Amino acid sequence: MQKSKTSIMPSKDFCKYAEEKIEDITTSDLEGEILRIIDKYSFGDRYAKIRYNTLSLQERALFTEENLEKIFVKYVDDKDPNFKRLRWLLRRLAQVGPPEGIPFF
């Protein structure tokens, strides 16, 4: 084992580390921006409901059907789709409940 690449940690810490890593992976800048908006209004609570109407018009403009479809297509058109990440993203989008996200599925 290489000490610089290997870490032994309690399972609780590992679970937190793994969750942080899945959050770091985005398919595009657009996805990253949408997630930053969700984080801004959820104050770090990954299960908090966010009222869509509390978003600014500029922020709501990112949650269009066209933009969400671009993100979803990148996930499902991949040679080896990351369904865990897609599930995680859908759960985060559900916090806001953008009406435009449903038609794709």
Side-chain angles (χ1 to χ4, degrees):
M1 291 193 303
Q2 295 179 357
K3 290 182 181 183
S4 64
K5 295 182 181 181
T6 305
S7 177
I8 297 173
M9 61 182 77
S11 61
K12 180 178 81 173
D13 294 342
F14 175 76
C15 289
K16 183 179 178 186
Y17 174 79
E19 277 188 22
E20 289 170 357
K21 285 297 169 195
I22 198 168
E23 291 175 18
D24 292 342
I25 304 166
T26 59
T27 61
S28 65
D29 291 340
L30 176 62
E31 180 185 352
E33 186 61 31
I34 287 173
L35 291 171
R36 279 188 286 282
I37 292 168
I38 293 171
D39 287 338
K40 174 183 168 183
Y41 287 92
S42 66
F43 303 103
D45 182 350
R46 295 186 190 136
Y47 297 95
K49 294 288 183 194
I50 302 165
R51 296 186 63 135
Y52 185 71
N53 293 337
T54 62
L55 276 61
S56 71
L57 292 176
Q58 185 178 12
E59 291 167 334
R60 279 189 244 168
L62 292 175
F63 288 85
T64 63
E65 182 177 348
E66 180 182 328
N67 283 346
L68 295 175
E69 187 172 318
K70 285 178 190 176
I71 295 168
F72 298 151
V73 164
K74 284 190 177 195
Y75 279 101
V76 297
D77 280 355
D78 193 8
K79 179 183 156 197
D80 187 21
N82 186 344
F83 291 112
K84 285 184 179 184
R85 172 66 187 184
L86 179 59
R87 182 183 68 197
W88 179 87
L89 176 63
L90 289 169
R91 184 180 57 74
R92 293 303 308 269
L93 287 170
Q95 288 182 260
V96 179
E100 291 80 4
I102 304 303
F104 183 83
F105 292 99

